[in-house]
Amino acid sequence: MTYSRTQTGHLLLCIGFLLPSLIVETTGETVQNVESKLLLVMFDGFRHDYLDKTDTPNFDRLLAAGAKAAGVIPAFTTKTFPGHHTVATGLYQESHGIMGNNMYDPEFDATFNQGTAEPRWWNYGGEPVWVTNQKAGGRSVSVFYPGARVNISGQTATYYQPQYDESMPFEERIDLVVGLMASDQANLGLLYFHEPDSTGHLQGPDSDSIVEAISMCDTTLGYLLVSLTEAELIDDVNIIVTSDHGMANVAAEQTVFLDEYVESGLYFYTNNDPVFGLWPYNETDGSLTTIYEALKDAHPQMNVYWKEAIPEGFRYRDNRRVSPILIVMDEGWHVWTNRSVEGNWMTYRGNHGFLNTLSSMQTIFIASGPAFKSNFALTDSFDAVDIYNLMCHVLDIDPAPNNGTFSNVAPLLSDAVTIALPSFAALFLSLVSCKILLD
């Protein structure tokens, strides 16, 4: 027996209920009293200008039907887990607490990596959009969105993968999400794809391989649009396509090795190359000052900060997980411990983590659906923290406290969508209207 694409999606949905290794869910209930549907699509490492590198007919189709921005300015540091959690919560990293793909917490005396799903790390601050959606009566499905499988504020996403599996085909990821949304078992979908980030790291953002990866992402988007069409969702679902960070060229010969300047036995570190956090083994013997003095002027492409002197504009200072000394490399440069330790500096031709104000770190943003304008281009970039408020507005739910500014993204919305006024303003306008009618 053969199946159409839509039937295949429903078949995979059924398999998902039977095999927890594919997807986890506790009940078979449908969404109650929720009309708005939103699909957030994250292409990891999709730089704002990648669409200029090759033909992308499916992205072009989405652009013609929707609205785009010149780019999105991610939060610093421009790494995967922090970037995703900023989009999800509307908070800067110093507020939501996911400070890097790797972290150290002095209160826990423990380290965090991308496989860490302990709730204590993720419940530092903020509320991700799937939790906000579910508190309002919605249901959410995530395929590999960072943090969605973690109990945050008492909830995981309604549906989620228990473990990250990079080998899971992109089409299968789409089938699961579209199937759940088509059967009204979820009104919010979150899709994660690890390209073009993986190719950008290994081959660089200006390589022929990145062009192939962009084309593959376009094909993936095309499959999604066809799937939504066949599921009769294309006119009802709002789609946001964006990313967590961009990508810059790097080279092995542009690496600073810390052991050439300071004794390695004085410190331990959190590695988010090109950002390193340095922590002293002994906080009372003056070694922290020794480390700083040895490194502060060691290399012209290496910026070394005392924690309290980290620029306020980084929004990366006021958190206990920020190290006493922070190293931030200039664009295109690695930082590593020593030449004998294998790592990214040897293999990467592209990297991210650099200052978020760099053009190379900005990401793509396209939004399409009934909530958004058609064939509209916003000439400015906005901050990643603004996306959470936009998603809540589209879902017609009240946002949790956040660092975003709704007015930055409001121009993307269709003329049919009005901005909710505070109750006192609505009352004032009603009184004015009544007076006009009486007059």
Side-chain angles (χ1 to χ4, degrees):
M1 179 179 292
T2 59
Y3 296 92
S4 70
R5 179 173 292 159
T6 303
Q7 290 172 319
T8 303
H10 291 310
L11 178 63
L12 286 167
L13 173 60
C14 295
I15 292 172
F17 289 134
L18 295 173
L19 296 178
S21 62
L22 281 180
I23 199 162
V24 172
E25 198 269 325
T26 54
T27 72
E29 299 175 2
T30 56
V31 175
Q32 299 296 317
N33 302 318
V34 176
E35 296 182 1
S36 300
K37 289 184 171 69
L38 172 65
L39 182 54
L40 175 63
V41 182
M42 299 290 285
F43 285 107
D44 197 327
F46 206 112
R47 212 168 74 178
H48 70 100
D49 58 353
Y50 272 179
L51 295 184
D52 298 332
K53 291 182 176 292
T54 187
D55 293 334
T56 51
N58 295 298
F59 278 102
D60 291 347
R61 173 187 168 188
L62 202 66
L63 285 167
K68 71 171 183 177
V72 175
I73 303 168
F76 179 81
T77 62
T78 51
K79 286 292 187 179
T80 296
F81 270 43
H84 278 83
H85 210 49
T86 287
V87 170
T89 63
L91 293 176
Y92 295 113
Q93 292 164 32
E94 66 180 2
S95 298
H96 65 57
I98 304 300
M99 311 303 294
N101 293 338
N102 300 285
M103 297 185 289
Y104 172 74
D105 190 314
E107 184 174 303
F108 301 158
D109 191 23
T111 56
F112 170 101
N113 60 46
Q114 288 172 287
T116 302
E118 295 176 63
R120 64 176 180 166
W121 288 95
W122 296 85
N123 281 276
Y124 188 96
E127 181 179 282
V129 65
W130 56 88
V131 174
T132 309
N133 179 57
Q134 289 157 204
K135 284 183 175 180
R139 294 166 70 77
S140 313
V141 51
S142 162
V143 179
F144 304 139
Y145 196 101
R149 65 188 177 107
V150 182
N151 189 319
I152 302 175
S153 300
Q155 300 188 50
T156 64
T158 315
Y159 308 86
Y160 63 92
Q161 261 62 32
Q163 296 291 335
Y164 178 63
D165 179 9
E166 187 172 295
S167 67
M168 184 178 184
F170 287 3
E171 294 83 1
E172 188 173 322
R173 304 181 194 192
I174 291 169
D175 288 339
L176 285 169
V177 171
V178 172
L180 284 163
M181 297 185 78
S183 59
D184 287 329
Q185 293 183 78
N187 69 307
L188 171 64
L190 304 109
L191 274 167
Y192 171 81
F193 303 109
H194 56 268
E195 289 289 3
D197 181 74
S198 294
T199 300
H201 277 305
L202 295 176
Q203 303 298 330
D206 294 325
S207 64
D208 291 339
S209 296
I210 202 67
V211 173
E212 295 174 4
I214 294 166
S215 295
M216 185 272 292
C217 291
D218 185 72
T219 300
T220 300
L221 180 62
Y223 183 91
L224 172 63
L225 295 177
V226 170
S227 298
L228 290 170
T229 301
E230 293 186 353
E232 299 182 352
L233 287 173
I234 194 68
D235 294 327
D236 301 322
V237 173
N238 292 291
I239 305 169
I240 291 176
V241 177
T242 187
S243 186
D244 48 350
H245 54 71
M247 188 70 66
N249 288 298
V250 294
E253 59 270 21
Q254 295 185 170
T255 304
V256 174
F257 300 99
L258 298 182
D259 288 4
E260 295 180 2
Y261 304 101
V262 65
E263 170 65 43
S264 62
L266 295 177
Y267 67 90
F268 63 97
Y269 60 88
T270 48
N271 175 4
N272 289 288
D273 173 49
V275 175
F276 253 48
L278 304 185
W279 305 76
Y281 280 118
N282 190 324
E283 296 183 1
T284 61
D285 67 352
S287 59
L288 195 58
T289 300
T290 300
I291 295 166
Y292 178 80
E293 291 297 326
L295 295 177
K296 67 175 183 177
D297 297 316
H299 196 282
Q301 270 69 50
M302 183 168 69
N303 306 284
V304 184
Y305 301 99
W306 286 114
K307 178 178 179 177
E308 57 270 22
I310 294 172
E312 185 178 354
F314 286 13
R315 302 302 299 266
Y316 194 79
R317 183 174 60 198
D318 298 328
N319 192 290
R320 69 173 187 257
R321 296 169 182 172
V322 177
S323 57
I325 296 174
L326 186 72
I327 294 174
V328 181
M329 301 304 295
D330 284 350
E331 183 178 17
W333 284 77
H334 291 289
V335 59
W336 214 252
T337 52
N338 62 68
R339 296 178 186 273
S340 65
V341 178
E342 293 184 2
N344 300 342
W345 69 277
M346 301 176 68
T347 58
Y348 277 9
R349 296 181 180 178
N351 204 8
H352 51 88
F354 302 105
L355 290 183
N356 57 333
T357 52
L358 294 168
S359 177
S360 62
M361 294 298 104
Q362 291 194 26
T363 76
I364 189 175
F365 184 91
I366 305 172
S368 180
F372 297 101
K373 292 177 180 175
S374 297
N375 196 26
F376 175 79
L378 188 66
T379 56
D380 295 326
S381 299
F382 55 81
D383 292 329
V385 293
D386 298 329
I387 297 175
Y388 172 77
N389 281 328
L390 179 65
M391 292 190 292
C392 289
H393 183 86
V394 170
L395 289 167
D396 195 23
I397 56 180
D398 293 328
N402 64 86
N403 298 131
T405 302
F406 181 68
S407 60
N408 291 340
V409 292
L412 298 164
L413 295 164
S414 69
D415 295 335
V417 178
T418 57
I419 300 173
L421 293 170
S423 57
F424 70 86
L427 177 61
F428 174 77
L429 288 178
S430 297
L431 292 173
V432 171
S433 298
C434 290
K435 186 179 185 303
I436 292 172
L437 289 172
L438 291 172
D439 292 344

